[in-house]
Amino acid sequence: MDFTRRKLLKTAGLASGALLAPHIWVPSEARAAALKKGEPLKVGVLFSLTGALAVPEEDSTLVLQYAFDEINKSGGVGGVPVEPVIVDAKSDFNVYSEKTKELILRDKVIAIFGCYTSASRKAILPTIMQRDHLLYYPTCYEGAECTQNTICTGPLANQHSKDLIPFMVQNFGKKVFFVGSNYVWPKESNKNAKIWLEQAGGELLGEEYIPLGSSEFGPVLNKIRDAKPNFIFSTVVGASDIAFHKQFKQEGFKVDQMPIASLTTGEIETRAMGAEFGAGHFLSAPYFQTLDNPTNQKFVEGFLKSPYGKNGTTHYNMEETYLSAYVFKSGFEKAAAAVGFENVTPRAIRDHSGGIRVEDAVSPEGLIWIDDQNFNTWLKPKIGQCQADGTFKIVKAADAQVAPDPYSIYPDIGVCTKDGLKAPDGKIRKNVI
């Protein structure tokens, strides 16, 4: 297996246990024998219900349960019900890695839905790839990755910050300050953002990263006050994101003079911090609760009235997670039609998922489809501004679905294909992370 560790950073050590103990694993081919027509399909749900990442990830767990309930009431997947095996990863990269092994070996799940941060995704990918298993990753991420074991339903950098940066420069000014959580996604996302900023004629005044889960932004805000940017570009996540917005206002910063443009601060974060702390700031995402279409209205009303809608709002990450359940349903059923129900493996699902569409009648954000080469999602980017009531007014939306491009700022590296990363010389490397 030729997977690259150049971007694992500190998470490599957390995930290494999966590579050091291959003798504990059953062969992946044994997965086919575990499927029996009429028995429920077990899937892993691996998000954090506690800790610093619980704010977005608890809702991902809740909306997956809602989606599978919805699917089961309509006949299930391949004629059988889905049985989610729910795990609390506790916002701990070691736990993500350990529980991935348990879900595959002990629980014998056919696929895993999980992770919010790229750090947690990279912690479990060595195990996923070693076992030729399947991860549905349902949120935005930085790209520069090409595996044959993931399906991603969130936007890549070329589908959000590429629009957000020039929008902010045009409307608020050229000077920007970057603030992010200290792990791979913010840093790699900001490499993309710097290119979009340069193309827009902007100027980067500073770049700061704070530990994941930290709530102390005083020193960073002092640097921002001294730099006097026109806007802040934020890749701060989880509980830290809430603390950042609250301290921004408490320190006397004015949103009309220096708004925060974020890739992560949506309805659920705004609800957690209080609408007064989110109002006026911006988010780039493919989904907002205020989208005006019949499918979204049905989704919002149904989810909020269900036992899973306890937190009182929908959110881009929740919707992307919801979509992943329907992508799984279509992929499994296509694989079963091709190879037979009892012969379906995680890899077979992935290989039959290219080109799968989730139509307007099912997708709250509107039609999306899975790219048949890189297995990311074609979607319509949007930009919203938070209002006084915590909802978002859409201020810009793409006219058509934008192709996902994992290597948009690295054209010389190659192109992600269904078989691996194809370099300009024609050589293909599998499982590049």
Side-chain angles (χ1 to χ4, degrees), residues 122-352:
K122 289 180 181 294
I124 75 171
L125 273 178
T127 298
I128 295 288
M129 294 186 299
Q130 184 194 32
R131 301 315 311 150
D132 204 12
H133 216 268
L134 179 60
L135 171 67
Y136 287 86
Y137 184 67
T139 193
C140 60
Y141 78 113
E142 67 282 358
E145 185 171 289
C146 185
T147 85
Q148 286 63 68
N149 301 89
T150 54
I151 296 174
C152 303
T153 53
L156 287 162
N158 76 295
Q159 296 169 310
H160 51 33
S161 59
K162 188 174 184 178
D163 286 342
L164 183 59
I165 291 290
F167 173 86
M168 296 301 293
V169 168
Q170 181 179 355
N171 287 279
F172 295 97
K174 297 181 178 181
K175 298 179 179 181
V176 59
F177 200 105
F178 287 1
V179 182
S181 296
N182 191 17
Y183 71 102
V184 60
W185 175 70
K187 292 183 177 180
E188 188 64 29
S189 292
N190 283 343
K191 290 181 182 178
N192 287 266
K194 288 173 186 175
I195 290 177
W196 316 143
L197 182 64
E198 181 180 358
Q199 291 177 355
E203 178 184 358
L204 180 60
L205 301 183
E207 184 174 4
E208 292 289 327
Y209 297 94
I210 58 99
L212 192 63
S214 175
S215 59
E216 178 49 62
F217 286 90
V220 172
L221 289 169
N222 286 337
K223 291 182 180 180
I224 292 172
R225 183 177 284 107
D226 292 340
K228 297 181 176 61
N230 299 120
F231 69 96
I232 299 166
F233 180 67
S234 172
T235 47
V236 179
V237 305
S240 300
D241 188 22
I242 294 166
F244 180 46
H245 279 75
K246 292 180 80 168
Q247 290 175 38
F248 174 93
K249 186 176 180 67
Q250 291 164 353
E251 289 289 326
F253 289 91
K254 303 297 183 182
V255 67
D256 58 340
Q257 299 174 8
M258 189 191 301
I260 299 171
S262 175
L263 303 180
T264 58
T265 313
E267 291 90 343
I268 195 67
E269 290 84 2
T270 302
R271 185 178 180 86
M273 71 177 72
E276 68 271 23
F277 297 104
H281 297 298
F282 292 85
L283 169 70
S284 177
Y287 173 83
F288 293 92
Q289 184 174 301
T290 51
L291 283 176
D292 187 13
N293 67 68
T295 302
N296 185 49
Q297 292 170 6
K298 179 183 175 182
F299 169 65
V300 173
E301 291 175 8
F303 178 73
L304 295 184
K305 289 179 180 178
S306 77
Y308 308 112
K310 64 177 185 177
N311 290 330
T313 189
T314 60
H315 178 262
Y316 72 92
N317 194 62
M318 294 167 61
E319 191 262 356
E320 293 158 10
T321 305
Y322 176 81
L323 292 179
S324 70
Y326 281 92
V327 172
F328 165 74
K329 172 179 166 62
S330 295
F332 184 97
E333 291 175 348
K334 282 183 66 176
V339 303
F341 184 96
E342 295 185 355
N343 296 317
V344 174
T345 62
R347 182 58 181 269
I349 299 171
R350 182 266 185 188
D351 288 346
H352 286 86

Side-chain angles (χ1 to χ4, degrees), residues 72-105:
N72 288 342
K73 289 175 183 176
S74 299
V77 173
V80 302
V82 178
E83 180 183 322
V85 181
I86 298 170
V87 175
D88 179 8
K90 301 179 180 179
S91 302
D92 185 322
F93 301 147
N94 283 304
V95 176
Y96 282 99
S97 180
E98 292 164 4
K99 295 302 181 182
T100 298
K101 301 172 193 177
E102 290 182 9
L103 286 167
I104 296 173
L105 177 61

Side-chain angles (χ1 to χ4, degrees), residues 373-388:
Q373 292 297 315
N374 60 49
F375 291 83
N376 290 274
T377 301
W378 289 66
L379 50 81
K380 289 184 179 180
K382 303 171 186 71
I383 298 171
Q385 184 178 29
C386 187
Q387 304 299 293

